[in-house]
Amino acid sequence: MKRGKVVNILYSVTVSSESTYDKLFSKSEKKPLQQAMKYHRLLCEGLSALDHVNVHVISKLPINRSNFKKNYLKSESEIKNKVNYYYISIVNLPLIKNVFAFFTVLYTVIKRCDRDTVIVGDVLNITTSMANIMAARIKGVKTIGIVTDIPSHLASSNKNSHTERISRFKHFTVRLNNFILQKFDSYIFLTEQMNELINKEGKPYIVMEGHIDSQVVKLRNTLEGKYPGIVCQYAGSLKKIYGIEKLTRAFIHANVEGSELHIYGDGDFVDELQQICAQHPTIRYFGVKLNQYIVNEQLKSTLLINPRPTDEEYTKYSYPSKNMEYMASGTPTLTTKLAGMPEEYYDYIYLIEDESLEGLTKTLQHVLGKSKEELHEKGLKAKEFVLLEKNNIVQAEKLLQLIQRIL
C-alpha cells in the first residue's frame, strides 16, 4: 500500500449516530445493544479522525417488534462526526426481516466497494457477516472481523428456554457463526486468549480490549459535583452469572454508614432485585436508562463496581466495556481480576482479590472506608490513563496499521 493513499473502509455492522439512536429508541422500554452500538460508533469516529481514511457505515439497525411497531423503515443517510452512515431499509416482520436484510446488505456493500476498500464487520451478526463475506469474495477485497464474544459462550448465556427445538436452533446458529467467523481475512480480538482459541490459521490480528470517547476530556468530575453520601453504582446486564446477586448481598452485609448501591440494567435478577430493594432501602434499582444518563450518574457517584466472577471460562475471552467506561468517567472502579484484563490496568483500579461473599463484603468496607479525596484521586488517574492510552483515535490507529498490513 502506497504511503498517503486513501483507505476506504466499509464498516458493515449494527450501529448508528447517537441522535438516530435516541430518535428511534428513547421511548422504547427495551433499549437494544447500547454497549455494542457505542463500541462500533466510537471506533468509526476514531477512524474518521485519521488522515487518509474514509469511513462509510452500512448499518442494519436493531429494529424488532418489541422496540419498533411499524412494519417498514425506509433507508436513510446522514453524516455525523465525519462518518457517513447509510441505514438500510428494514422489513420488520419475522424471518422476512433477516432474508431481506441479507440481500440488501449484500447489494449495498458490492455497490460501494472498490479495490482499495476493506470491509469491517461484527462476526456475531450472522446476517451481515454472511453478506460481508460474500461481497468481499465477489469484489476481491479484504475483510476484518470484530470478535467481541465467543459464539458458543454467547448462546449459553442467553438461555430463555430449554425446549428441544430452541436448543437445536441455537446449536445450528453457533455452528454457522463459527463457520462464518473462520472466513474473515483478519481479526480484532478483545483478548489474546481469543486469538489462541479462534485463529488457528495464524491470520493477521490485533487485540483491542475496547476504547473510550476522546471527548470525555470535556467531562468534569469534581468532588463538589458528587452526591453528598456514599453512592456506589453498577450498570450493565443483571444476569446472575455476572455476580450482581453476590454484590447486592455483600453490600447489605458491609453495612457502610451513609452508603447506597444504585443499579441499572435488565436481566434474570430483576424480580429478585426488586424484592431486595423493598426490604433494603439502601439498594436502589432504576431500570434501563440511556447511556448518557448513566454517564452523568457515574460522575456523581463515589465508586463504580463490576463484580463479574473470574472462575467462569468465558472471562478469558471477554473484557467488559463497562470497565473502560467506568474508568473514563473519573470515578474510581472496583472490579475483579478478569483473565482478559491486561496487567497495565491494575495500578488504576481497586481489585476484588477474594470473590467470596465474605471477601467482597470486606473489600467494600475497606474501599469505602477511604477518604473521598483519596477515592477521587484514584478515579482521576484512571481517567488520565484510558484517555491517553485507550481513546478511540489511538485504538483506531492500531486498526489502520492492521489494514495496511493486509492490503
Side-chain angles (χ1 to χ4, degrees):
M1 180 178 176
K2 294 179 181 179
R3 188 175 182 86
K5 191 171 184 179
V6 173
V7 177
N8 293 315
I9 299 173
L10 274 183
Y11 205 117
S12 179
V13 293
T14 293
V15 68
S16 74
S17 67
E18 282 189 284
S19 58
T20 294
Y21 185 93
D22 292 347
K23 181 176 69 175
L24 287 173
F25 305 117
S26 60
K27 295 182 180 179
S28 299
E29 288 187 14
K30 287 196 171 184
K31 302 195 185 334
L33 303 173
Q34 288 197 74
Q35 289 301 330
M37 298 267 281
K38 185 174 182 180
Y39 177 99
H40 294 302
R41 177 177 58 79
L42 288 179
L43 188 51
C44 287
E45 291 178 359
L47 287 165
S48 69
L50 302 178
D51 293 334
H52 308 299
V53 175
N54 289 330
V55 182
H56 294 268
V57 171
I58 298 171
S59 175
K60 180 178 79 70
L61 291 167
I63 296 293
N64 57 54
R65 302 302 295 181
S66 69
N67 59 38
F68 192 80
K69 301 306 178 186
K70 295 181 180 179
N71 291 332
Y72 181 74
L73 183 69
K74 68 177 183 179
S75 63
E76 287 189 21
S77 299
E78 67 172 340
I79 299 175
K80 288 290 176 73
N81 296 325
K82 295 169 60 177
V83 179
N84 296 277
Y85 292 94
Y86 176 74
Y87 308 115
I88 66 168
S89 303
I90 292 177
V91 177
N92 193 22
L93 297 171
L95 297 179
I96 296 174
K97 178 179 69 174
N98 289 334
V99 174
F100 182 84
F102 168 77
F103 285 107
T104 304
V105 172
L106 178 63
Y107 171 78
T108 307
V109 172
I110 290 174
K111 184 179 178 181
R112 298 185 179 214
C113 262
D114 59 38
R115 63 182 182 180
D116 294 321
T117 299
V118 174
I119 300 173
V120 178
D122 180 354
V123 303
L124 297 178
N125 190 315
I126 293 177
T127 302
T128 57
S129 287
M130 288 176 62
N132 292 338
I133 293 297
M134 189 174 293
R137 296 296 183 268
I138 292 171
K139 298 293 289 188
V141 300
K142 297 294 185 179
T143 55
I144 298 176
I146 300 177
V147 188
T148 56
D149 213 328
I150 307 300
S152 58
H153 293 167
L154 190 65
S156 64
S157 69
N158 284 330
K159 290 179 180 176
N160 294 317
S161 172
H162 298 286
T163 65
E164 185 178 350
R165 173 185 280 183
I166 290 179
S167 295
R168 287 203 304 265
F169 177 73
K170 284 185 176 180
H171 181 65
F172 168 75
T173 57
V174 167
R175 291 184 64 184
L176 178 59
N177 211 165
N178 283 330
F179 174 79
I180 295 168
L181 195 159
Q182 296 299 325
K183 299 302 178 182
F184 283 86
D185 299 305
S186 54
Y187 302 101
I188 301 173
F189 295 119
L190 292 189
T191 70
E192 191 65 47
Q193 291 94 328
M194 275 185 163
N195 176 62
E196 296 167 4
L197 179 70
I198 293 172
N199 192 12
K200 302 300 185 183
E201 297 181 17
K203 295 177 181 179
Y205 76 97
I206 57 172
V207 174
M208 185 190 300
E209 67 272 16
H211 40 261
I212 59 108
D213 190 347
S214 60
Q215 298 301 309
V216 298
V217 67
K218 299 176 182 177
L219 297 178
R220 296 187 68 245
N221 190 317
T222 64
L223 279 173
E224 296 76 21
K226 300 286 185 184
Y227 282 112
I230 298 172
V231 173
C232 301
Q233 187 201 97
Y234 172 88
S237 175
L238 301 187
K239 294 179 181 177
K240 292 183 181 180
I241 62 169
Y242 292 150
I244 182 62
E245 180 179 20
K246 186 181 292 182
L247 173 60
T248 57
R249 303 293 181 192
F251 192 85
I252 292 167
H253 288 311
N255 195 29
V256 176
E257 185 177 354
S259 65
E260 292 182 352
L261 174 59
H262 294 186
I263 299 174
Y264 299 86
D266 193 18
D268 58 22
F269 184 58
V270 167
D271 291 342
E272 190 175 338
L273 174 61
Q274 290 175 328
Q275 295 175 15
I276 293 171
C277 291
Q279 299 171 7
H280 300 276
T282 60
I283 310 289
R284 303 181 64 187
Y285 174 55
F286 294 91
V288 178
K289 299 290 185 183
L290 287 173
N291 185 257
Q292 189 55 54
Y293 179 93
I294 292 174
V295 169
N296 290 334
E297 287 298 304
Q298 288 171 350
L299 299 176
K300 296 188 287 184
S301 299
T302 309
L303 183 69
L304 310 176
I305 307 173
N306 183 8
R308 184 172 293 195
T310 61
D311 56 355
E312 297 285 348
E313 179 72 10
Y314 74 86
T315 62
K316 295 179 183 178
Y317 312 112
S318 66
Y319 185 79
S321 58
K322 74 165 60 63
N323 276 17
M324 202 164 283
E325 185 172 281
Y326 279 0
M327 295 172 73
S329 72
T331 296
T333 298
L334 172 65
T335 185
T336 51
K337 193 181 287 186
L338 294 163
M341 180 170 61
E343 291 187 11
E344 62 182 325
Y345 285 82
Y346 291 177
D347 290 338
Y348 303 99
I349 56 179
Y350 294 112
L351 288 168
I352 301 169
E353 303 277 3
D354 181 352
E355 297 175 41
S356 67
L357 179 60
E358 182 182 3
L360 182 52
T361 299
K362 290 181 178 179
T363 300
L364 286 169
Q365 291 171 334
H366 172 70
V367 174
L368 295 180
K370 297 179 181 294
S371 69
K372 286 192 173 184
E373 290 75 15
E374 182 179 346
L375 291 169
H376 187 58
E377 184 64 25
K378 185 84 167 182
L380 293 181
K381 287 181 178 179
K383 178 178 179 178
E384 181 181 21
F385 166 70
V386 293
L387 188 59
L388 290 175
E389 304 291 337
K390 308 294 179 179
N391 73 68
N392 58 325
I393 298 175
V394 169
Q395 300 291 61
E397 287 175 344
K398 295 178 184 178
L399 174 52
L400 182 58
Q401 290 170 11
L402 174 62
I403 291 171
Q404 290 169 337
R405 283 166 55 198
I406 66 174
L407 287 179

